[in-house]
Amino acid sequence: MAFKLKSEFPHGELPLNVFKSGQMRVQRPVVNAAKCAWCGSCHLFCPTGCLIDKDGHFEANLDYCKGCGICAQVCPVQAIAMVREEY
Ligand code: SF4
Ligand code: SF4
């Protein structure tokens, strides 16, 4: 079967590269800004590249964060805690 560029979600023609992957998250990263060493490792390893520089520390754009926890695993100073989403 040929690869389809378009999403098959009910919204129809939404390209996959603008799909908001944060909609299916069960946990979220919470950054302790005071502990953040501003190394950028979380941004480099995040599969969606959604951790962004906030003038001295990094924070996740929750529209795209999938809650995988990789950022918390790679943070060298344990500045990121994963907390369960409450829906
Ligand atoms: S939990 Fe996963 S998707 Fe979310 S910011 Fe961390 S590495 Fe990125
Ligand atoms: S990996 Fe940790 S210390 Fe490095 S920028 Fe991200 S939150 Fe800050």
Side-chain angles (χ1 to χ4, degrees):
M1 191 169 93
F3 174 74
K4 291 184 180 177
L5 188 59
K6 300 290 186 180
S7 161
E8 293 185 350
F9 284 87
H11 307 302
E13 298 303 304
L14 181 67
L16 285 174
N17 62 356
V18 297
F19 177 69
K20 291 194 173 179
S21 47
Q23 293 170 355
M24 55 184 110
R25 187 180 57 241
V26 296
Q27 58 179 358
R28 71 167 67 195
V30 175
V31 178
N32 180 336
K35 281 182 82 176
C36 175
W38 208 40
C39 68
S41 297
C42 51
H43 173 79
L44 291 173
F45 283 89
C46 174
T48 65
C50 73
L51 280 141
I52 49 178
D53 181 7
K54 290 281 189 178
D55 281 335
H57 73 283
F58 278 70
E59 272 183 24
N61 179 339
L62 295 176
D63 281 346
Y64 299 98
C65 169
K66 302 191 297 181
C68 66
I70 291 173
C71 54
Q73 293 290 321
V74 301
C75 177
V77 294
Q78 292 79 47
I80 304 176
M82 299 302 297
V83 300
R84 189 167 180 81
E85 289 285 10
E86 300 293 338
Y87 289 108

